[in-house]
Amino acid sequence: MQFFKTKKGRWWTWVLAILVGGLLVWGTQHDAAIYSDPIMQVTSVDTGAATKETDDFHNVDRQTKQTLHGKILNGTYKGQRLTVTNTYSRSGAVDQRYHVGSQLFVVVHAHSATHLTASAKDVKRDTPLVFMIWLVVGLLLLIMQFSGFMAFLSVAANGILFLIAILLNGSTQGAQVLWIFGSLSVVFATLTLWLVLGANRQMLITLATTLGGTALALVTALLVFHFTHEKGMYYESMQYVTQLPRPLFLAETLLGSLGAVMDESTDIISSLFALKRERPELSATQIFKSGRQIGSTIMGPLINVLFFIFVADTFPMAMLYLKNGNSWGYTFSMNMSMGVVQSLISGIGIVLAVPLASFLASRFMAKKVTA
Amino acid sequence: MSTISVLGLVLLILMVLVGGKAGAQSFLALILNFGLLYLAIVLVAFQFSPLIVTLVVGMLVLALTIFMSSGDDLSSTVAFIASAVVLVMLIILIVPVEHWALVQGFGPEDSEDLEGLSVLVGVNFVQVTTATAILSTLGAIAEAAMAISAGLSEILEQHPQVALKALLGDGIAVGKQIIGTTFNTLFFGFFGGFLALFIWFTGVHYSVGEILNDKIFVSEILMILFAMVSVILTVPITTWVMTRAVAGQRKRAMKDTSK
């Protein structure tokens, strides 16, 4: 760790990050051997003529059939030459156009030892994925150095916890989803704040605010659900749902708001600690007021962050609904309403965390703040 | 009353109680942002180019979010210019990566939702997905730019004569403080949204290789990574714009005194 903080240490880490990353990106281009599904590299493409398609809603599109010749890169059929056909449309909502050099997952049908046919399943996407991860890590190390490394570490640690929780949820058939992710939030928050702030009084106050704010938001939401009888909540519009939607929705909302509430309470409480350090004579009431002041400037932008994450994601489906002759209102209800409800609940948590953070900090901050 | 309107009302009341006029203003900004997002979808459905719509709507969202929050003129202006620069850089990064990864539109997991819908609608979905990725990071860009420029303008207030070079270092220092927590906001925000998808993957027993090449999975992870890149880039860019602004101010002040 000490070596990492020296100039030479940083330089070496950076060179190492670039080399290892570049090697990984290059490796994903040549990793077909580790996949069990056959992968074909396209060596030449014949493109057919485009045909015009018009649907019931007068949307005009073009479909093109392409014949792809290529070579299998792995498995039993390694080295065999194959030809597959692929149809793509100009819009490309559920299909894609392939080019020379594309690596595709294919399904091989062996009719006899020499006669093979195949159909294209999907394209291999691990190279762009690894490239982007490499870019993020490289930029973090370049600009943020050690703090960047810690930020990445906490995201990675949370990612692993998240995976464990999902596996746990799977083993209980999703019956306990809210409990699993509820208790996980406590672990998430404790671990993250410990990594960011270290174990001290400031961290405890921040943790209490984070958990309190998130819990209050959920309780408020449940109360509102109770009194409005969940009117206008379209659980059936949620995507990829494989278990009871209501607890799943609450678990999603819980996780979504947790990060933002944590972000906000960290900001408010660390500013208040800094303030107390500079001006120890401030009374609890004055600290509370400053906290409210700081909080009210950051809460709006934070709610916005979550709003765009929750709602922008529904863009493609909402567009498709509009293009299929659905009304604006129906499109909203079926695609965006659940995201908006999530943003509103998280927003309530973010706002409630402001007085909570200010109150807890003003009462439980040590008389004299050191360090 | 529907659940959405009651929740909205609760949020409005709380925001006014906690933040007063600033709270009401932030709530209004939120509503307007929703209007802009919906407008973007409608415009793209009317065959406007998704990328141009996103660029224009993105700039408007940034301006609205930044100028409607309380903050002094200098820090708001700097935050806006910086976030606009980041937005443009992000578009330059996202467009080729989305073309490369071929993650546009919908995957096999969406087939149930797509039942009965025509998918040949003549809108370029590579561009729609690119637009989605850009729009989902807008909030994060605005927030990070505002945090950095507010932090820097506070430093400037306390030490008005701070050297420009020192200011650059200060910006990175402020950035280091916020990067950890901002990453967590992004991580939890996105993972909260994808929870159902990840449960699907484990429930249907996808192999690791299948998940890492799955259209929807890669598309969602790329969105998180784009958001992270944009937040990282916001730190040096906002700091740089702030030093330019301060240098300009000082030059003008010098001219005024020498007259």
Side-chain angles (χ1 to χ4, degrees):
Chain A
M1 284 292 165
Q2 223 39 48
F3 174 69
F4 198 81
K5 283 183 174 166
T6 62
K7 203 169 183 184
K8 205 173 151 201
R10 276 206 300 261
W11 195 79
W12 274 109
T13 333
W14 211 64
V15 171
L16 203 69
I18 290 198
L19 280 180
V20 171
L23 213 64
L24 276 174
V25 173
W26 179 82
T28 57
Q29 294 248 293
H30 304 271
D31 65 351
I34 61 173
Y35 284 95
S36 51
D37 295 323
I39 295 169
M40 182 184 101
Q41 175 140 19
V42 179
T43 47
S44 68
V45 181
D46 298 325
T47 311
T51 51
K52 200 169 145 183
E53 303 276 339
T54 310
D55 67 9
D56 300 346
F57 307 98
H58 310 290
N59 298 312
V60 182
D61 212 322
R62 280 174 190 284
Q63 273 192 318
T64 312
K65 201 167 170 183
Q66 55 179 182
T67 311
L68 312 161
H69 307 282
K71 204 170 71 180
I72 298 286
L73 297 174
N74 60 342
T76 356
Y77 307 109
K78 188 175 176 182
Q80 299 259 20
R81 299 208 154 263
L82 277 177
T83 302
V84 297
T85 55
N86 173 51
T87 307
Y88 65 87
S89 61
R90 203 186 56 182
S91 52
V94 291
D95 46 51
Q96 51 241 335
R97 181 180 181 175
Y98 300 123
H99 301 275
V100 171
S102 301
Q103 294 186 356
L104 318 175
F105 288 103
V106 291
V107 181
V108 178
H109 315 282
H111 302 282
S112 68
T114 48
H115 180 61
L116 296 177
T117 57
S119 45
K121 209 164 72 175
D122 207 350
V123 71
K124 196 161 160 287
R125 296 193 172 86
D126 51 358
T127 311
L129 188 65
V130 171
F131 168 78
M132 276 302 299
I133 296 176
W134 176 45
L135 185 69
V136 169
V137 175
L139 276 177
L140 262 180
L141 287 176
L142 176 70
I143 297 170
M144 301 295 160
Q145 291 142 8
F146 186 68
S147 318
F149 177 72
M150 288 305 279
F152 189 76
L153 196 70
S154 90
V155 168
N158 282 333
I160 292 167
L161 276 176
F162 188 73
L163 191 71
I164 295 171
I166 286 181
L167 293 175
L168 203 63
N169 171 67
S171 67
T172 57
Q173 268 73 46
Q176 308 294 331
V177 64
L178 199 52
W179 286 113
I180 291 174
F181 284 94
S183 38
L184 188 78
S185 313
V186 180
V187 182
F188 270 146
T190 316
L191 180 77
T192 310
L193 290 173
W194 176 66
L195 278 175
V196 174
L197 299 170
N200 50 34
R201 190 183 276 254
Q202 185 181 347
M203 179 260 179
L204 282 179
I205 297 177
T206 315
L207 181 64
T209 312
T210 306
L211 299 177
T214 316
L216 276 177
L218 272 197
V219 171
T220 314
L222 287 174
L223 279 177
V224 173
F225 285 1
H226 180 74
F227 287 114
T228 57
H229 307 290
E230 308 193 18
K231 199 176 148 212
M233 297 273 293
Y234 299 95
Y235 288 112
E236 69 273 22
S237 72
M238 285 169 67
Q239 282 181 305
Y240 316 123
V241 173
T242 46
Q243 58 191 49
L244 213 59
R246 194 166 175 270
L248 183 65
F249 175 79
L250 290 174
E252 286 187 358
T253 313
L254 175 75
L255 280 180
S257 49
L258 184 74
V261 174
M262 190 153 52
D263 186 345
E264 184 193 31
S265 13
T266 313
D267 278 358
I268 298 177
I269 293 170
S270 59
S271 308
L272 291 182
F273 268 73
L275 189 69
K276 183 83 178 173
R277 213 173 300 140
E278 274 173 31
R279 298 169 60 190
E281 76 280 3
L282 285 181
S283 71
T285 327
Q286 283 166 311
I287 295 275
F288 180 82
K289 266 191 188 153
S290 312
R292 228 183 91 178
Q293 179 84 37
I294 300 167
S296 52
T297 57
I298 57 177
M299 66 186 186
L302 259 180
I303 299 175
N304 248 309
V305 175
L306 287 186
F307 169 76
F308 277 102
I309 291 176
F310 288 153
V311 182
D313 202 27
T314 59
F315 193 146
M317 196 56 106
M319 229 254 335
L320 202 63
Y321 263 67
L322 287 176
K323 280 300 216 181
N324 275 267
N326 292 299
S327 71
W328 291 15
Y330 185 70
T331 302
F332 169 80
S333 303
M334 281 301 131
N335 292 293
M336 308 166 91
S337 64
M338 293 311 263
V340 172
V341 170
Q342 268 177 333
S343 325
L344 290 173
I345 298 175
S346 313
I348 291 172
I350 290 168
V351 178
L352 285 175
V354 174
L356 196 62
S358 317
F359 175 77
L360 291 178
S362 64
R363 295 298 132 132
F364 297 104
M365 205 186 270
K367 283 266 148 38
K368 252 193 184 158
V369 175
T370 46
Chain B
M1 269 170 106
S2 73
T3 308
I4 288 197
S5 34
V6 175
L7 283 172
L9 207 64
V10 171
L11 181 63
L12 171 64
I13 293 170
L14 286 174
M15 281 178 97
V16 172
L17 280 180
V18 170
K21 194 169 153 251
Q25 232 172 359
S26 298
F27 187 81
L28 186 64
L30 201 63
I31 302 253
L32 290 174
N33 276 338
F34 176 76
L36 280 172
L37 188 65
Y38 203 96
L39 179 75
I41 297 175
V42 171
L43 285 178
V44 172
F46 281 136
Q47 303 288 357
F48 284 88
S49 155
L51 287 183
I52 294 171
V53 169
T54 308
L55 188 65
V56 174
V57 165
M59 292 288 175
L60 286 173
V61 164
L62 291 175
L64 244 165
T65 311
I66 291 169
F67 290 112
M68 280 187 78
S69 316
S70 47
D72 58 287
D73 283 351
L74 176 69
S75 68
S76 297
T77 315
V78 166
F80 175 68
I81 295 173
S83 55
V85 174
V86 174
L87 178 63
V88 173
M89 290 177 74
L90 197 64
I91 293 178
I92 295 172
L93 172 72
I94 292 183
V95 171
V97 173
E98 292 276 340
H99 273 90
W100 181 21
L102 292 173
V103 290
Q104 75 277 16
F106 310 99
E109 295 83 5
D110 290 304
S111 40
E112 202 181 311
D113 292 325
L114 291 175
E115 225 166 86
L117 292 172
S118 155
V119 289
L120 296 175
V121 293
V123 174
N124 186 337
F125 268 88
V126 178
Q127 291 196 11
V128 169
T129 305
T130 310
T132 309
I134 295 165
L135 289 171
S136 66
T137 60
L138 281 180
I141 299 178
E143 203 248 348
M146 285 164 72
I148 309 276
S149 70
L152 284 177
S153 88
E154 209 176 286
I155 292 174
L156 278 168
E157 222 166 80
Q158 282 168 7
H159 314 278
Q161 292 311 318
V162 64
L164 290 182
K165 210 161 178 198
L167 200 60
L168 269 175
D170 289 338
I172 303 294
V174 174
K176 280 179 180 173
Q177 279 172 17
I178 67 157
I179 205 92
T181 52
T182 307
F183 268 28
N184 276 301
T185 307
L186 294 177
F187 173 87
F188 287 111
F190 278 110
F191 276 59
F194 308 157
L195 185 57
L197 182 71
F198 289 146
I199 289 176
W200 173 306
F201 286 152
T202 53
V204 188
H205 300 291
Y206 277 48
S207 71
V208 176
E210 277 170 319
I211 294 177
L212 290 181
N213 291 282
D214 183 82
K215 196 178 192 180
I216 305 295
F217 176 81
V218 173
S219 160
E220 306 281 12
I221 297 292
L222 285 182
M223 273 177 19
I224 305 183
L225 294 171
F226 290 140
M228 286 183 170
V229 168
S230 63
V231 170
I232 302 171
L233 286 179
T234 305
V235 175
I237 291 176
T238 311
T239 313
W240 181 75
V241 174
M242 183 58 102
T243 56
R244 299 314 310 153
V246 172
Q249 268 184 350
R250 285 185 187 166
K251 227 183 214 163
R252 257 171 281 139
M254 287 264 282
K255 256 187 202 157
D256 287 346
T257 46
S258 60
K259 250 183 219 168

